[in-house]
Amino acid sequence: MGLKSSPDSLPPHMTSAKIVVAGGFGVGKTTLVGSVSEIPPVNTEAWMTQAAKSVDPETGATGKATTTVAMDFGRITLAEDLVLYLFGTPGQARFWPMWDDLSRGASAAVVLVDTRRLDTSFAAVNYFENDSDVPFIVAVNLFDGEQTHRLAEVRDALQLTAEVPLVACDARDRGSAVATLTAALTHTMRRTSVGTTPGVLATR
Amino acid sequence: MKGNPWVRPYVLTSGRTTTRHRLFMHTLVSVPDFDPAFADRLPPEARSLYERAGTTAESVAELSAHCGVSLGVTRVLIGDMAARGRMIINPDTYSSPYDERLLRRVIHGLKEFA
Amino acid sequence: MRRILIVGAGQAGLQLALSLLAEGYAVTVMSARTPEEIRAGRIMSTQCMFGPSLQIERERGLNLWEEQAPKIVAQRLTLADPPGTAAFGFVGRWDAYAQSVDQRVKMAGWLELFESRGGEVVYHGVMTSDLEGLSAMYDLTIIAAGKGDLVELFDRDDARSPYDRPQRALSCVYLHGDTLMPEYPEPHVRITAFPGVGELIFMPGYTNTGPCGILLWEAVPGGPLDCWDDKPSPEEHRDRTLDLMRSYAPWEYERWVDSEPTDGRCTLYGGYAPVVRRPVGRLSASSHVLGMADVVVANDPVTGQGSNNAARSADVYFRSILERGEKPFDPEWMQRTFDAYWDFAQHVCAYTNMMLGPLPEHVQGILATAAHNPAVAYRFAKGYTDPSDFRHWLMDPEKAEAFLASVADQSTAAP
């Protein structure tokens, strides 16, 4: 049987990697994804919904309407056979099943924080510290391009352990965003090369 | 049987699909040999996914978003079509997402890209 | 071949899935996590399964850990009042043993068993938005994932839900290295009640690393045992547990002083309001899903009924699906299926909700009597294995009095 290959289809050995970008609402996740993605960040509102009560006007029966919550992802083709995906997490803690799904199989995670509202990223830090095996770093997004807090203060406020790298970045700037992503991958390499097996739990 | 003419691939595979563990959001899916006649027979959602993956290899998340098919339904349909040999779930080239060769390639690629 | 979708891979979801698969149904399970992730993940429950629940599993060939897991033969209740002092206690022995297999072990194993028997598993955390599309592909969709947002598909049944907030703050830990209680060395459940403050519940369990001890603090909110908001690490949990035991139950402290956490994810914190929900989730005029187990009936774990209810509801639903044959799984059938389960579950709810509040005087009297009357202790312990029996005595002051009178001659106390 002759192999028929369409010129458009990529070779089947094409593979993909993923980095998760987490953090609270409005900390700049979409900006970071957008500044490195080769496609406009895909907004997946349509399939991220939650139940909300509604009443059918005709029957008076209670049904479940849907309201949406945004999530986005971007894509970078790194080589003919390698694609990198960046996935932003939904902000609300109620979507934690989604967080597991997003994190599963990821090579690294970046928790983005905004020093003006650090509290919005507590849940994300907590998640990667306690409930996920994916190695993560924390990146302080400098909205005005200036560092208003010393990183040590941020580390204290977030109660980060010494082994979690903390970096500053400008999510709008491609070079800075790329540096943040590579810092996360480098951290994964360090974390997973020293005698640990991927997937084995880090004990606290 | 009511409504849905879709024959589940149980009949073909006794329920065993080979998709376990690999249908991550970022897992790439492609169509090895696009068959327009097969596409014509599919219900709208499956058809839309099949046609899109027939154009270019895309991730599960992209297929779901671009076709407007919920992620859960997308995963079921991809699993079904893969079980029938109509789609290919691209195998992981690397042993794990923490494979040092993969990490080095991604870092290198990102630096080139910046 | 009827196609059934089960969303959720816990006790109820997988028990039903495996049961239906054996009857030739085409069953798809949607699990948010893979077996490996479940095994390596956080503990989920205390899951003490009593004799009747274990029997359901045996009948379906699902008792994979029967030999490894400690066989729990009895239940001891101690009333610590004032704290630190055992006012009285008694042991009730069961007709059949109970077992507690860590759900990380059990659900991972059952998922693999389901797949190896030809069941289809889709690894996907189902969102409400998936359901209309999914349910159109199956003859019946059952929601058995009680911890996510899917429960909001099912309206709260106010008449059956007396509480609107958690009645206990919960804190659970799995430990290795506890020692036997010299006066009762056989594996048993120990409930220590601190009136107005909470309870400490212990049971022998079986986890990834072998036999272990499972401890659950049930803290009255705002009270001195409600001290887990900081979600301490396993070692910190053990240390805090020892401190609390030293002042509240020193006889327990002796058992645990050399214990170690079983693993890095052997703690669980939280609390939820007991709730009963309406069982039929309406997605559209023509599309409905059926809720099962703790999705529709969630009790506080103070009476250890959660996994037993899951097993019972899965069993009732299983029979109802079989009886339905080829007829449609319409909303009326869904409601009837739930009603059949509620016939049993209502007694569990009534008993559990009563135990969360200040104990009625006649119940205090029953417990004090049990301390010197083995017939009362026996029936009290038996009630945990089948709470529907409580309606015949403990739930009703007059019937309780009649029962106590009927067994008064078995009292060991001096007249």
Side-chain angles (χ1 to χ4, degrees):
Chain A
M1 172 184 128
L3 283 176
K4 187 182 135 203
S5 70
S6 135
D8 290 337
S9 73
L10 293 157
H13 63 269
M14 175 113 192
T15 195
S16 59
K18 173 170 66 182
I19 296 174
V20 180
V21 182
F25 185 73
V27 295
K29 300 190 293 284
T30 312
T31 311
L32 190 142
V33 171
S35 69
V36 289
S37 180
E38 71 194 15
I39 54 168
V42 177
N43 192 299
T44 55
E45 273 184 46
W47 45 265
M48 288 290 296
T49 64
Q50 67 183 74
K53 288 192 181 187
S54 72
V55 175
D56 187 322
E58 303 214 344
T59 63
T62 304
K64 301 291 168 186
T66 51
T67 57
T68 60
V69 52
M71 191 197 69
D72 40 37
F73 61 88
R75 160 178 177 146
I76 312 160
T77 306
L78 295 176
E80 201 180 316
D81 63 343
L82 182 61
V83 181
L84 174 68
Y85 286 97
L86 301 176
F87 280 81
T89 58
Q92 297 94 322
R94 58 191 278 109
F95 289 109
W96 273 18
M98 200 78 202
W99 286 50
D100 289 340
D101 204 346
L102 289 164
S103 306
R104 183 172 296 129
S107 292
V110 175
V111 177
L112 207 55
V113 301
D114 174 353
T115 50
R116 294 167 300 183
R117 39 190 165 174
L118 277 179
D119 58 312
T120 61
S121 293
F122 283 162
V125 171
N126 204 23
Y127 175 82
F128 286 102
E129 268 185 350
N130 298 314
D131 294 308
S132 170
D133 290 324
V134 178
F136 75 104
I137 68 166
V138 175
V140 177
N141 188 14
L142 308 171
F143 275 86
D144 43 11
E146 285 178 33
Q147 201 159 326
T148 51
H149 289 60
R150 299 207 341 266
L151 287 181
E153 292 167 10
V154 176
R155 180 178 289 281
D156 277 355
L158 292 173
Q159 296 183 299
L160 292 181
T161 54
E163 60 259 36
V164 178
L166 181 64
V167 301
C169 83
D170 181 346
R172 299 165 302 184
D173 178 71
R174 178 185 282 191
S176 179
V178 163
T180 304
L181 299 174
T182 54
L185 294 162
T186 306
H187 175 57
T188 297
M189 218 173 332
R190 249 193 332 262
R191 263 277 310 271
T192 55
S193 65
V194 216
T196 57
T197 318
V200 167
L201 302 180
T203 47
R204 303 181 31 167
Chain B
M1 202 175 319
K2 33 174 222 324
N4 189 353
W6 182 246
V7 179
R8 307 282 299 161
Y10 277 107
V11 186
L12 309 169
T13 63
S14 315
R16 290 313 304 270
T17 60
T18 52
T19 61
R20 200 182 142 202
H21 299 261
R22 291 198 281 112
L23 271 185
F24 299 129
M25 287 235 203
H26 64 288
T27 297
L28 296 171
V29 177
S30 50
V31 171
D33 188 2
F34 187 80
D35 176 356
F38 175 72
D40 283 345
R41 295 197 302 272
L42 292 171
E45 294 188 326
R47 179 177 180 156
S48 152
L49 294 168
Y50 181 71
E51 288 180 343
R52 175 111 195 165
T55 316
T56 175
E58 271 196 348
S59 63
V60 174
E62 280 168 299
L63 286 169
S64 163
H66 288 138
C67 298
V69 177
S70 79
L71 196 56
V73 172
T74 299
R75 282 190 161 124
V76 171
L77 293 175
I78 290 173
D80 286 355
M81 285 189 271
R84 300 157 165 235
R86 294 293 189 166
M87 276 190 174
I88 288 178
I89 295 164
N90 288 17
D92 297 320
T93 311
Y94 299 94
S95 60
S96 103
Y98 310 148
D99 187 316
E100 196 173 326
R101 290 167 305 158
L102 172 66
L103 295 171
R104 285 194 193 288
R105 285 201 65 199
V106 176
I107 291 171
H108 177 75
L110 275 171
K111 285 181 175 162
E112 295 274 297
F113 176 79
Chain C
M1 187 160 48
R2 305 209 81 181
R3 301 156 307 169
I4 315 282
L5 173 65
I6 297 173
V7 176
Q11 172 74 36
L14 286 175
Q15 181 188 311
L16 179 62
L18 283 155
S19 302
L20 288 172
L21 194 64
E23 297 293 329
Y25 286 75
V27 188
T28 297
V29 166
M30 286 208 154
S31 171
R33 294 185 298 162
T34 63
E36 291 79 4
E37 290 170 336
I38 293 169
R39 264 191 205 99
R42 187 161 293 284
I43 58 167
M44 291 172 268
S45 176
T46 54
Q47 72 269 315
C48 189
M49 298 277 286
F50 299 110
S53 309
L54 294 179
Q55 189 55 32
I56 295 172
E57 294 184 353
R58 272 180 216 118
E59 283 164 12
R60 312 254 179 278
L62 303 178
N63 54 329
L64 310 188
W65 301 272
E66 180 128 23
E67 292 317 308
Q68 296 98 307
K71 296 178 168 65
I72 313 172
V73 301
Q75 160 184 309
R76 165 188 287 262
L77 184 129
T78 303
L79 189 80
D81 191 17
T85 307
F88 62 78
F90 59 87
V91 176
R93 208 176 162 96
W94 293 314
D95 297 337
Y97 57 78
Q99 291 186 308
S100 172
V101 177
D102 185 345
Q103 290 189 350
R104 295 181 296 183
V105 174
K106 189 174 182 178
M107 299 315 144
W110 276 5
L111 255 183
E112 288 167 347
L113 181 68
F114 178 72
E115 282 193 290
S116 76
R117 286 181 179 177
E120 183 183 4
V121 181
V122 177
Y123 292 99
H124 174 68
V126 176
M127 310 287 288
T128 314
S129 53
D130 289 320
L131 279 176
E132 195 164 354
L134 285 173
S135 68
M137 300 164 73
Y138 299 87
D139 295 309
L140 170 64
T141 297
I142 290 179
I143 308 299
K147 293 194 173 92
D149 76 319
L150 292 182
V151 297
E152 289 177 28
L153 284 166
F154 306 95
D155 291 324
R156 182 175 190 271
D157 186 335
D158 295 331
R160 290 170 173 174
S161 308
Y163 297 114
D164 61 359
R165 67 197 65 185
Q167 299 300 300
R168 293 289 188 276
L170 308 173
S171 145
C172 182
V173 66
Y174 287 21
L175 300 168
H176 284 310
D178 56 309
T179 58
L180 299 176
M181 187 160 259
E183 59 267 42
Y184 207 92
E186 285 178 280
H188 63 284
V189 168
R190 287 198 295 276
I191 307 164
T192 309
F194 313 101
V197 175
E199 296 83 16
L200 172 61
I201 298 166
F202 154 74
M203 71 200 69
Y206 178 77
T207 183
N208 285 315
T209 42
C212 65
I214 298 174
L215 288 171
L216 172 67
W217 288 99
E218 289 255 345
V220 172
L225 298 179
D226 182 4
C227 58
W228 307 96
D229 281 353
D230 59 332
K231 301 189 176 182
S233 72
E235 285 77 15
E236 290 164 337
H237 191 304
R238 189 263 329 268
D239 293 345
R240 200 171 299 174
T241 287
L242 286 173
D243 283 346
L244 290 171
M245 282 175 170
R246 205 164 6 207
S247 28
Y248 285 85
W251 55 91
E252 286 290 346
Y253 175 82
E254 298 302 318
R255 312 268 74 78
W256 300 94
V257 68
D258 291 324
S259 64
E260 291 292 338
T262 58
D263 60 272
R265 287 178 182 157
C266 68
T267 56
L268 187 65
Y269 305 100
Y272 50 89
V275 65
V276 177
R277 296 177 181 276
R278 298 190 189 279
V280 182
R282 181 179 184 272
L283 305 170
S284 71
S286 60
S287 178
H288 299 81
V289 295
L290 173 61
M292 178 166 69
D294 59 347
V295 169
V296 284
V297 180
N299 286 305
D300 189 278
V302 71
T303 55
Q305 299 296 318
S307 57
N308 298 281
N309 280 346
R312 296 254 190 185
S313 69
D315 196 47
V316 169
Y317 283 33
F318 169 65
R319 290 164 200 278
S320 183
I321 289 167
L322 256 49
E323 277 169 22
R324 192 62 175 166
E326 291 299 314
K327 294 203 263 307
F329 298 114
D330 52 35
E332 292 72 32
W333 171 85
M334 291 179 178
Q335 183 67 48
R336 280 203 307 280
T337 298
F338 171 78
D339 290 345
Y341 167 57
W342 178 250
D343 277 347
F344 170 80
Q346 60 176 316
H347 304 296
V348 180
C349 293
Y351 177 64
T352 304
N353 287 334
M354 184 194 75
M355 293 304 278
L356 289 170
L359 285 190
E361 207 166 303
H362 80 278
V363 177
Q364 296 181 34
I366 287 170
L367 298 181
T369 309
H372 56 79
N373 189 321
V376 180
Y378 168 79
R379 195 167 184 187
F380 181 75
K382 189 183 170 72
Y384 278 73
T385 72
D386 179 6
S388 68
D389 179 57
F390 283 136
R391 74 184 186 278
H392 300 306
W393 65 297
L394 184 135
M395 298 303 291
D396 180 318
E398 283 177 25
K399 289 179 186 168
E401 198 173 329
F403 169 67
L404 292 183
S406 75
V407 296
D409 59 337
Q410 294 176 49
S411 174
T412 56

